[in-house]
Amino acid sequence: MSGKEFLDSNILVYCVDEDDKTKQQTARELIASLINTRTGRISTQTLQEFFNISVKKLKRNKSTVQKDVTDFADVFPVHINTVKDILTAITISIKNQLSFYDSLIIAAAKAEGCEIVYSEDLNDGQEMDGVKIVNPFRQE
């Protein structure tokens, strides 16, 4: 077991989303834990989606979000997606009937040797290509 865990962009978004304090707290606690254990991973896609959603949906200042992107990249190893990742994502998309971009998150996590992807957008508990999806916001 590698113990590595991957963060989807929605976790980063909730970390800065002032409209949902409960999810914000959960996201911040998860991120802090992964920073402390040095097991968290993200990708260039995660950062791109975080920037786009933060600016467009949350209406945050681009310079502020740029600083957030820099901060996340400073505390987490960032996977740079490759052609191999794209081809793996296509295979995952076909096999699991997922969107390409969701599949690319799984492919990046797999490339980083992650066992878990934290995401609100994917099916909680589902396992794809050896990577388990965990929704940290699910109600027990």
Side-chain angles (χ1 to χ4, degrees):
M1 280 198 162
S2 70
K4 294 178 188 171
E5 301 166 299
F6 197 91
L7 294 169
D8 196 355
S9 57
N10 51 52
I11 309 301
L12 303 184
V13 169
Y14 280 121
C15 180
V16 300
D17 187 356
E18 298 292 329
D19 291 336
D20 192 330
K21 293 294 189 183
T22 301
K23 286 185 178 180
Q24 182 185 56
Q25 180 179 349
T26 300
R28 286 181 175 182
E29 288 172 1
L30 175 59
I31 288 169
S33 172
L34 295 179
I35 290 169
N36 288 336
T37 60
R38 298 180 182 207
T39 56
R41 302 292 184 271
I42 57 176
S43 68
T44 50
Q45 176 189 355
T46 308
L47 294 173
Q48 292 165 335
E49 290 178 359
F50 168 76
F51 180 84
N52 191 48
I53 294 166
S54 294
V55 169
K56 289 189 175 189
K57 272 183 132 176
L58 301 182
K59 306 291 186 207
R60 296 179 71 232
N61 176 281
K62 287 181 180 181
S63 295
T64 301
V65 180
Q66 180 180 29
K67 183 184 178 323
D68 292 339
V69 168
T70 300
D71 291 345
F72 286 130
D74 285 345
V75 296
F76 292 117
V78 179
H79 179 79
I80 299 170
N81 291 324
T82 66
V83 172
K84 182 179 178 184
D85 297 323
I86 292 167
L87 295 171
T88 299
I90 293 168
T91 300
I92 291 169
S93 177
I94 292 167
K95 182 178 168 185
N96 297 284
Q97 298 298 302
L98 280 180
S99 77
F100 170 74
Y101 290 105
D102 287 344
S103 299
L104 190 56
I105 289 291
I106 302 299
K110 184 177 174 181
E112 285 293 313
C114 295
E115 298 171 349
I116 293 173
V117 170
Y118 290 103
S119 177
E120 182 182 49
D121 297 337
L122 298 168
N123 292 329
D124 185 47
Q126 184 176 6
E127 193 168 310
M128 290 177 271
D129 282 36
V131 179
K132 184 177 181 177
I133 308 305
V134 174
N135 180 351
F137 308 113
R138 73 180 180 276
Q139 301 296 321
E140 299 281 345

